[in-house]
Amino acid sequence: MVDIVEELKDKARVLHGRVKHGDADALARVRSLPELRSLDDEALGREIQRKHCLTVLAREVGFSGWSHAVTVLDGRPAEDMGTLLSPSGASAHWNIWSAHYDEARSIRAEHGGYLLAYKRHFFIVDRYYIETLGLDPDDERWSRMARDWARPADTEARRELYAELIRQRLAVA
């Protein structure tokens, strides 16, 4: 399986090339960055750098920038877990929020469900929320993680689920 960070680097390379060739969709995507917003197409084609494309992709999947994405996706400790696990339309589901991990873990232990992370907060959701994310709530990787995304028992299982989510998100971007 291709590492999701490497896959994002490949997608950034493709996006970079598309911008240089004046592709309208690619130009619109990189104009989401404030420093590139005011450039005309020709200037944008000259000024674009791979780092801009990496930042765009990281933001499209819920991280503040490339280094933030790499930190989280590599499983290193991060205070901010990004917004990938809270897509639009998911707020209609039942969930319990907490500002503290230990409290969220206790709530999940008492009530069941899945412990997820959003930026610096934690929330417990049911299986229907997981389905809304586009993941299978019965996937064995959830068991390997102890249904805890924030501090999983198996970080490789979380990494695989992150890859699945990111591929889905970028397929519609």
Side-chain angles (χ1 to χ4, degrees), residues 13-34:
R13 181 185 49 76
V14 170
L15 178 60
H16 192 204
R18 289 178 56 205
V19 169
K20 287 203 162 282
H21 286 97
D23 178 86
D25 290 335
L27 290 165
R29 286 173 73 188
V30 299
R31 280 201 175 98
S32 67
L33 300 178

PDB file of all heavy atoms in Angstrom, residues 13-34:
ATOM      1  N   ARG A  13       2.483  17.108  -6.921  1.00  0.00           N
ATOM      2  CA  ARG A  13       3.270  17.200  -8.150  1.00  0.00           C
ATOM      3  C   ARG A  13       2.351  17.359  -9.362  1.00  0.00           C
ATOM      4  O   ARG A  13       2.573  18.201 -10.238  1.00  0.00           O
ATOM      5  CB  ARG A  13       4.145  15.955  -8.308  1.00  0.00           C
ATOM      6  CG  ARG A  13       5.028  15.961  -9.549  1.00  0.00           C
ATOM      7  CD  ARG A  13       5.791  14.645  -9.733  1.00  0.00           C
ATOM      8  NE  ARG A  13       4.960  13.457  -9.615  1.00  0.00           N
ATOM      9  CZ  ARG A  13       4.121  13.012 -10.548  1.00  0.00           C
ATOM     10  NH1 ARG A  13       3.972  13.667 -11.675  1.00  0.00           N
ATOM     11  NH2 ARG A  13       3.408  11.909 -10.359  1.00  0.00           N
ATOM     12  N   VAL A  14       1.276  16.588  -9.391  1.00  0.00           N
ATOM     13  CA  VAL A  14       0.310  16.664 -10.500  1.00  0.00           C
ATOM     14  C   VAL A  14      -0.384  18.025 -10.497  1.00  0.00           C
ATOM     15  O   VAL A  14      -0.518  18.662 -11.552  1.00  0.00           O
ATOM     16  CB  VAL A  14      -0.716  15.510 -10.409  1.00  0.00           C
ATOM     17  CG1 VAL A  14      -1.855  15.705 -11.394  1.00  0.00           C
ATOM     18  CG2 VAL A  14      -0.021  14.168 -10.638  1.00  0.00           C
ATOM     19  N   LEU A  15      -0.815  18.484  -9.322  1.00  0.00           N
ATOM     20  CA  LEU A  15      -1.466  19.788  -9.220  1.00  0.00           C
ATOM     21  C   LEU A  15      -0.524  20.898  -9.682  1.00  0.00           C
ATOM     22  O   LEU A  15      -0.921  21.796 -10.432  1.00  0.00           O
ATOM     23  CB  LEU A  15      -1.920  20.039  -7.776  1.00  0.00           C
ATOM     24  CG  LEU A  15      -2.589  21.382  -7.488  1.00  0.00           C
ATOM     25  CD1 LEU A  15      -3.848  21.568  -8.324  1.00  0.00           C
ATOM     26  CD2 LEU A  15      -2.899  21.497  -5.997  1.00  0.00           C
ATOM     27  N   HIS A  16       0.734  20.813  -9.302  1.00  0.00           N
ATOM     28  CA  HIS A  16       1.747  21.796  -9.705  1.00  0.00           C
ATOM     29  C   HIS A  16       1.842  21.862 -11.233  1.00  0.00           C
ATOM     30  O   HIS A  16       1.832  22.953 -11.823  1.00  0.00           O
ATOM     31  CB  HIS A  16       3.082  21.398  -9.081  1.00  0.00           C
ATOM     32  CG  HIS A  16       4.144  22.433  -9.173  1.00  0.00           C
ATOM     33  ND1 HIS A  16       5.472  22.117  -9.117  1.00  0.00           N
ATOM     34  CD2 HIS A  16       4.101  23.781  -9.313  1.00  0.00           C
ATOM     35  CE1 HIS A  16       6.191  23.210  -9.232  1.00  0.00           C
ATOM     36  NE2 HIS A  16       5.377  24.237  -9.350  1.00  0.00           N
ATOM     37  N   GLY A  17       1.913  20.699 -11.858  1.00  0.00           N
ATOM     38  CA  GLY A  17       1.989  20.654 -13.316  1.00  0.00           C
ATOM     39  C   GLY A  17       0.737  21.220 -13.979  1.00  0.00           C
ATOM     40  O   GLY A  17       0.824  21.933 -14.984  1.00  0.00           O
ATOM     41  N   ARG A  18      -0.405  20.914 -13.413  1.00  0.00           N
ATOM     42  CA  ARG A  18      -1.662  21.420 -13.972  1.00  0.00           C
ATOM     43  C   ARG A  18      -1.737  22.942 -13.870  1.00  0.00           C
ATOM     44  O   ARG A  18      -2.225  23.599 -14.796  1.00  0.00           O
ATOM     45  CB  ARG A  18      -2.850  20.761 -13.272  1.00  0.00           C
ATOM     46  CG  ARG A  18      -3.014  19.286 -13.646  1.00  0.00           C
ATOM     47  CD  ARG A  18      -4.166  18.613 -12.918  1.00  0.00           C
ATOM     48  NE  ARG A  18      -5.409  19.319 -13.157  1.00  0.00           N
ATOM     49  CZ  ARG A  18      -6.446  19.295 -12.325  1.00  0.00           C
ATOM     50  NH1 ARG A  18      -6.381  18.607 -11.200  1.00  0.00           N
ATOM     51  NH2 ARG A  18      -7.544  19.954 -12.615  1.00  0.00           N
ATOM     52  N   VAL A  19      -1.248  23.496 -12.771  1.00  0.00           N
ATOM     53  CA  VAL A  19      -1.237  24.957 -12.623  1.00  0.00           C
ATOM     54  C   VAL A  19      -0.312  25.565 -13.672  1.00  0.00           C
ATOM     55  O   VAL A  19      -0.662  26.540 -14.343  1.00  0.00           O
ATOM     56  CB  VAL A  19      -0.807  25.382 -11.196  1.00  0.00           C
ATOM     57  CG1 VAL A  19      -0.549  26.884 -11.129  1.00  0.00           C
ATOM     58  CG2 VAL A  19      -1.863  24.971 -10.180  1.00  0.00           C
ATOM     59  N   LYS A  20       0.865  24.994 -13.822  1.00  0.00           N
ATOM     60  CA  LYS A  20       1.832  25.525 -14.804  1.00  0.00           C
ATOM     61  C   LYS A  20       1.289  25.482 -16.235  1.00  0.00           C
ATOM     62  O   LYS A  20       1.662  26.295 -17.063  1.00  0.00           O
ATOM     63  CB  LYS A  20       3.148  24.762 -14.715  1.00  0.00           C
ATOM     64  CG  LYS A  20       3.934  25.115 -13.462  1.00  0.00           C
ATOM     65  CD  LYS A  20       5.395  24.803 -13.674  1.00  0.00           C
ATOM     66  CE  LYS A  20       6.245  25.505 -12.676  1.00  0.00           C
ATOM     67  NZ  LYS A  20       6.474  26.902 -12.927  1.00  0.00           N
ATOM     68  N   HIS A  21       0.378  24.526 -16.492  1.00  0.00           N
ATOM     69  CA  HIS A  21      -0.224  24.418 -17.824  1.00  0.00           C
ATOM     70  C   HIS A  21      -1.542  25.182 -17.941  1.00  0.00           C
ATOM     71  O   HIS A  21      -2.239  25.073 -18.949  1.00  0.00           O
ATOM     72  CB  HIS A  21      -0.419  22.945 -18.200  1.00  0.00           C
ATOM     73  CG  HIS A  21       0.863  22.285 -18.553  1.00  0.00           C
ATOM     74  ND1 HIS A  21       1.580  21.525 -17.648  1.00  0.00           N
ATOM     75  CD2 HIS A  21       1.585  22.286 -19.702  1.00  0.00           C
ATOM     76  CE1 HIS A  21       2.681  21.089 -18.224  1.00  0.00           C
ATOM     77  NE2 HIS A  21       2.717  21.533 -19.469  1.00  0.00           N
ATOM     78  N   GLY A  22      -1.883  25.949 -16.903  1.00  0.00           N
ATOM     79  CA  GLY A  22      -3.043  26.832 -16.981  1.00  0.00           C
ATOM     80  C   GLY A  22      -4.396  26.160 -16.800  1.00  0.00           C
ATOM     81  O   GLY A  22      -5.423  26.748 -17.170  1.00  0.00           O
ATOM     82  N   ASP A  23      -4.442  24.977 -16.209  1.00  0.00           N
ATOM     83  CA  ASP A  23      -5.706  24.293 -15.978  1.00  0.00           C
ATOM     84  C   ASP A  23      -6.579  25.122 -15.034  1.00  0.00           C
ATOM     85  O   ASP A  23      -6.156  25.462 -13.917  1.00  0.00           O
ATOM     86  CB  ASP A  23      -5.431  22.907 -15.380  1.00  0.00           C
ATOM     87  CG  ASP A  23      -6.694  22.157 -15.074  1.00  0.00           C
ATOM     88  OD1 ASP A  23      -7.209  21.489 -15.988  1.00  0.00           O
ATOM     89  OD2 ASP A  23      -7.170  22.244 -13.917  1.00  0.00           O
ATOM     90  N   ALA A  24      -7.800  25.459 -15.469  1.00  0.00           N
ATOM     91  CA  ALA A  24      -8.665  26.360 -14.708  1.00  0.00           C
ATOM     92  C   ALA A  24      -9.011  25.825 -13.317  1.00  0.00           C
ATOM     93  O   ALA A  24      -9.005  26.585 -12.334  1.00  0.00           O
ATOM     94  CB  ALA A  24      -9.944  26.637 -15.494  1.00  0.00           C
ATOM     95  N   ASP A  25      -9.319  24.536 -13.200  1.00  0.00           N
ATOM     96  CA  ASP A  25      -9.654  23.959 -11.896  1.00  0.00           C
ATOM     97  C   ASP A  25      -8.451  24.021 -10.946  1.00  0.00           C
ATOM     98  O   ASP A  25      -8.598  24.347  -9.766  1.00  0.00           O
ATOM     99  CB  ASP A  25     -10.127  22.503 -12.033  1.00  0.00           C
ATOM    100  CG  ASP A  25     -11.493  22.399 -12.691  1.00  0.00           C
ATOM    101  OD1 ASP A  25     -12.274  23.367 -12.624  1.00  0.00           O
ATOM    102  OD2 ASP A  25     -11.779  21.328 -13.264  1.00  0.00           O
ATOM    103  N   ALA A  26      -7.286  23.701 -11.463  1.00  0.00           N
ATOM    104  CA  ALA A  26      -6.067  23.728 -10.648  1.00  0.00           C
ATOM    105  C   ALA A  26      -5.755  25.157 -10.203  1.00  0.00           C
ATOM    106  O   ALA A  26      -5.389  25.388  -9.042  1.00  0.00           O
ATOM    107  CB  ALA A  26      -4.897  23.136 -11.418  1.00  0.00           C
ATOM    108  N   LEU A  27      -5.907  26.109 -11.109  1.00  0.00           N
ATOM    109  CA  LEU A  27      -5.670  27.511 -10.762  1.00  0.00           C
ATOM    110  C   LEU A  27      -6.619  27.961  -9.653  1.00  0.00           C
ATOM    111  O   LEU A  27      -6.207  28.643  -8.706  1.00  0.00           O
ATOM    112  CB  LEU A  27      -5.840  28.398 -11.994  1.00  0.00           C
ATOM    113  CG  LEU A  27      -4.752  28.265 -13.071  1.00  0.00           C
ATOM    114  CD1 LEU A  27      -5.210  28.896 -14.380  1.00  0.00           C
ATOM    115  CD2 LEU A  27      -3.449  28.886 -12.596  1.00  0.00           C
ATOM    116  N   ALA A  28      -7.874  27.566  -9.745  1.00  0.00           N
ATOM    117  CA  ALA A  28      -8.853  27.936  -8.722  1.00  0.00           C
ATOM    118  C   ALA A  28      -8.480  27.322  -7.369  1.00  0.00           C
ATOM    119  O   ALA A  28      -8.620  27.980  -6.332  1.00  0.00           O
ATOM    120  CB  ALA A  28     -10.250  27.486  -9.153  1.00  0.00           C
ATOM    121  N   ARG A  29      -8.022  26.086  -7.379  1.00  0.00           N
ATOM    122  CA  ARG A  29      -7.652  25.431  -6.122  1.00  0.00           C
ATOM    123  C   ARG A  29      -6.504  26.150  -5.433  1.00  0.00           C
ATOM    124  O   ARG A  29      -6.549  26.381  -4.226  1.00  0.00           O
ATOM    125  CB  ARG A  29      -7.285  23.970  -6.376  1.00  0.00           C
ATOM    126  CG  ARG A  29      -8.490  23.099  -6.648  1.00  0.00           C
ATOM    127  CD  ARG A  29      -8.100  21.711  -7.072  1.00  0.00           C
ATOM    128  NE  ARG A  29      -7.583  20.925  -5.954  1.00  0.00           N
ATOM    129  CZ  ARG A  29      -7.026  19.726  -6.103  1.00  0.00           C
ATOM    130  NH1 ARG A  29      -6.907  19.177  -7.299  1.00  0.00           N
ATOM    131  NH2 ARG A  29      -6.587  19.069  -5.046  1.00  0.00           N
ATOM    132  N   VAL A  30      -5.456  26.500  -6.168  1.00  0.00           N
ATOM    133  CA  VAL A  30      -4.308  27.149  -5.518  1.00  0.00           C
ATOM    134  C   VAL A  30      -4.598  28.599  -5.152  1.00  0.00           C
ATOM    135  O   VAL A  30      -3.949  29.149  -4.266  1.00  0.00           O
ATOM    136  CB  VAL A  30      -3.000  27.036  -6.341  1.00  0.00           C
ATOM    137  CG1 VAL A  30      -2.610  25.581  -6.527  1.00  0.00           C
ATOM    138  CG2 VAL A  30      -3.104  27.743  -7.657  1.00  0.00           C
ATOM    139  N   ARG A  31      -5.602  29.179  -5.773  1.00  0.00           N
ATOM    140  CA  ARG A  31      -5.990  30.551  -5.396  1.00  0.00           C
ATOM    141  C   ARG A  31      -6.689  30.584  -4.037  1.00  0.00           C
ATOM    142  O   ARG A  31      -6.989  31.654  -3.527  1.00  0.00           O
ATOM    143  CB  ARG A  31      -6.876  31.174  -6.471  1.00  0.00           C
ATOM    144  CG  ARG A  31      -6.074  31.695  -7.633  1.00  0.00           C
ATOM    145  CD  ARG A  31      -6.837  32.732  -8.451  1.00  0.00           C
ATOM    146  NE  ARG A  31      -5.971  33.253  -9.469  1.00  0.00           N
ATOM    147  CZ  ARG A  31      -5.958  32.843 -10.746  1.00  0.00           C
ATOM    148  NH1 ARG A  31      -6.793  31.901 -11.147  1.00  0.00           N
ATOM    149  NH2 ARG A  31      -5.115  33.381 -11.603  1.00  0.00           N
ATOM    150  N   SER A  32      -6.916  29.435  -3.441  1.00  0.00           N
ATOM    151  CA  SER A  32      -7.452  29.416  -2.078  1.00  0.00           C
ATOM    152  C   SER A  32      -6.412  29.941  -1.090  1.00  0.00           C
ATOM    153  O   SER A  32      -6.758  30.324   0.024  1.00  0.00           O
ATOM    154  CB  SER A  32      -7.884  27.995  -1.690  1.00  0.00           C
ATOM    155  OG  SER A  32      -6.752  27.136  -1.598  1.00  0.00           O
ATOM    156  N   LEU A  33      -5.145  29.979  -1.504  1.00  0.00           N
ATOM    157  CA  LEU A  33      -4.079  30.510  -0.655  1.00  0.00           C
ATOM    158  C   LEU A  33      -4.043  32.037  -0.795  1.00  0.00           C
ATOM    159  O   LEU A  33      -3.935  32.554  -1.913  1.00  0.00           O
ATOM    160  CB  LEU A  33      -2.724  29.918  -1.037  1.00  0.00           C
ATOM    161  CG  LEU A  33      -2.599  28.398  -0.915  1.00  0.00           C
ATOM    162  CD1 LEU A  33      -1.218  27.954  -1.380  1.00  0.00           C
ATOM    163  CD2 LEU A  33      -2.868  27.949   0.503  1.00  0.00           C
ATOM    164  N   PRO A  34      -4.118  32.763   0.295  1.00  0.00           N
ATOM    165  CA  PRO A  34      -4.155  34.232   0.224  1.00  0.00           C
ATOM    166  C   PRO A  34      -3.009  34.844  -0.572  1.00  0.00           C
ATOM    167  O   PRO A  34      -3.204  35.819  -1.302  1.00  0.00           O
ATOM    168  CB  PRO A  34      -4.088  34.666   1.698  1.00  0.00           C
ATOM    169  CG  PRO A  34      -4.583  33.489   2.462  1.00  0.00           C
ATOM    170  CD  PRO A  34      -4.188  32.273   1.661  1.00  0.00           C
TER     171      PRO A  34
END
